[in-house]
Amino acid sequence: MAIWGWPLIAIRLFALLALLLVCVPVYYAASPFTARNPVPPFFLRLVGTISGLRVTVRGRRPAPGSFFLANHVSWLDIPALSGASGTAFIAHDGLADFGPLRWLCTLNDTVFVARNRRSTVAAQVEQIRTALKETGALTIFPEGTTSNGTDLLPFKSSLLSAIGTEDAGLTVQPVWLDYGNEAEEIAWVGDEPGLDNALRILARVRPVRVTLHFLQPLEGEERRDRKAMARSAEAAIETARNELGQARR
């Protein structure tokens, strides 16, 4: 890490702590008066800004009542997506093992699921359906983990059972998070500890630029069943990546 990295990390951590101390009381003050508290998306947007994230949004703007299927590269995906759309998230229950992180996730209406326990899928589906009604928008990362940012991992379909063809009022929309040529540098993959990845990003002088491509919502046969939705979303993101890759050459 460069010599100027640690002072920059200290400044950003201080700013993040100050932001948290301001937003938490406002969150609890606003909670009795709103069904979907506006403070978490605002907080996450500023978390991204303080961390050096610069977000560009392209494509069809998300409609109220949306279920986003997005690729997953970094923890920065969370402030990027929430700040741009107000979405809550479906997260692996391993995050719930760390109390302070679980508390922060809960403030943003995160739905914790055990993806590796097939016996609980039915209960998780019901939990997701309830959360969709309460939050208005949910995001799942169907890859199940972060990728290196240059390749997509296969999309898993089990939790997409929460969405049926009868849910006509629900928009199912693929989202491609594009970190450009720096994707591999930003990505949190392999055996790198989460803290090391966070510090590495907070030490950057250059901003982290990400483009959120809100792609065409799934329709018709693309929503025939959960496997079709997973397959169609993965194909839509892969097609967008290939088309933009050709345009960049």
Side-chain angles (χ1 to χ4, degrees), residues 15-56:
L16 289 170
L17 178 59
L19 176 65
L20 182 65
L21 292 176
V22 170
C23 286
V24 168
V26 177
Y27 170 88
Y28 285 110
S31 290
F33 306 103
T34 178
R36 173 62 172 142
N37 199 306
V39 174
F42 172 79
F43 170 77
L44 287 170
R45 186 184 306 118
L46 290 185
V47 166
T49 300
I50 292 170
S51 302
L53 189 64
R54 302 295 179 265
V55 180
T56 300

Side-chain angles (χ1 to χ4, degrees), residues 68-81:
F68 302 126
L69 309 181
N71 63 307
H72 197 13
V73 180
S74 166
W75 57 272
L76 290 171
D77 302 346
I78 306 297
L81 277 166

Side-chain angles (χ1 to χ4, degrees), residues 88-101:
F89 295 89
I90 298 171
H92 193 281
D93 60 353
L95 290 175
D97 294 338
F98 182 54
L101 183 56

Side-chain angles (χ1 to χ4, degrees), residues 136-151:
L138 272 177
T139 295
I140 188 171
F141 299 110
E143 291 168 294
T145 186
T146 50
S147 71
N148 62 10
T150 60
D151 299 300

